[in-house]
Amino acid sequence: YDDWDRIGDWFNTLIDRVRNVAGVTSVGAVSSAPLGPELDTVIAYWTAEGGEIPPEQRPRARRRSVTPDFFKAAGVSLVAGRQFQESDRRDMPGVAIIDQVMARQLFGDRNPIGQRVVFRADPKPVQNPIGIIRPHQAEIVGVVRSIRFASLGANPEPTIYLPLEQVTRRQLIMVVATGLSDPLGLIAGVRDAVKQGDPSLSIEYYDMSRLIDRSLTRQRLSMALLVLFGLAALVLAAVGIYGIMAYSVAQRRGEFAVRAALGAEPGALRSLVLARGRTLGLIGVGTGVVVAVLVGRLVESQLFGVSALDPLVLSLMSLTMLAIVIASTLVPAIRASRVRAASVFRGE
């Protein structure tokens, strides 16, 4: 594999063989797969043609090599322009597709289609052990939705995609889409397709759902810890409320005895204590909601699929806290309703 044209042709032939494997609906290739091993470690500096930008101010973007069908196989929708075509060959002028983050960073509100990016002054191809970069500038022909390559919790990085024909890599990740219920059922057919080209090649397989699970490991651990701490806080809060209300009822035994002697029913005494606990609970919940609104933005980056100010979540948590307050107050309220005036007066 010492000839870059042969490497590019080999990958094209391999993709054609994999495309014919039973169960495959589409297949593409990329130099780094979403949520998979990161092979595009080089961060390139890019400048828009028509203006010189100092190196320290040039936008940065990850450069990724892809085949024409990668976006279809990965389910990445086109926002503007066109996809790569088979006519975007190694001997043709450079073309590029950028993501939405790159488009906003480099062009703002301007239409990026037809614009050129220049990434080096030397027009000669750049070769290294990893690959060969043929064009020194490229015309932007399309814009695609941004992809979270690093993790689901990380913001998408500015990315520019170039055809594998024009930026050939030794390492490549194939993205295979299938209609099978078990995607891993394709492994045997894909392995045979690769072995037909070179039996000595090493192959690794990843199920996308497994990559997603691995990407969410840290968030799930954090969530489990937060749930554990939250349950501990609820238990401590319940014990604390119970202790305060029990102490308050003990301190007011004389009052409750007088009320009972004057004809207060046990239910009225019980309601008196519950109303006191409910009032304190409402004050605490109201204060908690205000604090949650004020500091919610600080934790919003750790939330997925829900806003820090989600009214449903705040309502459910408020009702939960009120229920805990009432449950913690119930036992002291029952004790207050069972106070016997005669026994209290004899003791005093």
Side-chain angles (χ1 to χ4, degrees), residues 44-312:
Y45 289 88
W46 304 80
T47 61
E49 189 179 42
E52 185 62 29
I53 302 177
E56 66 275 5
Q57 298 179 11
R58 295 175 183 172
R60 298 185 299 173
R62 286 195 179 270
R63 179 181 59 236
R64 305 187 192 277
S65 302
V66 299
T67 59
D69 288 337
F70 162 71
F71 299 110
K72 178 182 177 182
V76 180
S77 58
L78 185 70
V79 177
R82 67 169 177 86
Q83 302 274 15
F84 288 138
Q85 301 172 352
E86 297 298 334
S87 58
D88 298 321
R89 305 289 298 175
R90 63 194 66 153
D91 54 349
M92 299 297 289
V95 292
I97 292 177
I98 61 177
D99 71 342
Q100 291 173 302
V101 175
M102 179 81 177
R104 286 193 299 266
Q105 184 184 81
L106 199 57
F107 299 101
D109 296 332
R110 292 181 296 154
N111 182 12
I113 304 301
Q115 301 287 338
R116 290 185 177 273
V117 288
V118 181
F119 41 91
R120 69 173 188 277
D122 188 357
K124 296 180 180 179
V126 175
Q127 303 185 48
N128 56 51
I130 297 176
I132 178 173
I133 307 171
R134 291 183 171 89
H136 75 287
Q137 65 177 2
E139 177 186 352
I140 298 175
V141 297
V143 179
V144 295
R145 293 182 63 88
S146 299
I147 303 175
R148 298 176 188 269
F149 276 90
S151 71
L152 294 179
N155 293 326
E157 296 178 287
T159 303
I160 185 165
Y161 302 93
L162 300 175
L164 182 67
E165 280 282 306
Q166 298 181 355
V167 182
T168 306
R169 300 285 299 264
R170 288 189 183 277
Q171 289 179 300
L172 206 63
I173 295 178
M174 301 184 67
V175 180
V176 182
T178 178
L180 299 178
S181 58
D182 181 15
L184 297 182
L186 295 175
I187 288 181
V190 173
R191 181 189 293 115
D192 292 341
V194 175
K195 296 302 183 183
Q196 289 177 25
D198 187 343
S200 66
L201 284 182
S202 175
I203 314 168
E204 293 182 78
Y205 302 93
Y206 301 92
D207 183 359
M208 200 63 206
S209 60
R210 179 179 144 205
L211 292 180
I212 293 174
D213 289 340
R214 188 173 67 180
S215 176
L216 292 175
T217 298
R218 175 180 292 183
Q219 285 83 356
R220 285 173 173 164
L221 177 60
S222 300
M223 181 185 67
L225 290 175
L226 287 175
V227 169
L228 181 62
F229 292 148
L231 291 176
L234 286 177
V235 171
L236 290 176
V239 172
I241 294 171
Y242 169 79
I244 291 175
M245 295 306 299
Y247 179 75
S248 174
V249 168
Q251 291 292 99
R252 298 171 63 187
R253 288 184 77 246
E255 174 194 340
F256 293 137
V258 172
R259 289 177 180 274
L262 294 177
E265 296 293 333
L269 297 177
R270 186 164 55 248
S271 298
L272 184 65
V273 177
L274 289 175
R276 173 69 174 174
R278 185 168 59 249
T279 300
L280 294 177
L282 288 172
I283 294 174
V285 168
T287 304
V289 169
V290 172
V291 173
V293 171
L294 293 177
V295 304
R297 298 299 180 187
L298 300 178
V299 299
E300 196 159 26
S301 61
Q302 303 299 315
L303 302 177
F304 299 94
V306 63
S307 168
L309 304 180
D310 190 300
L312 178 60

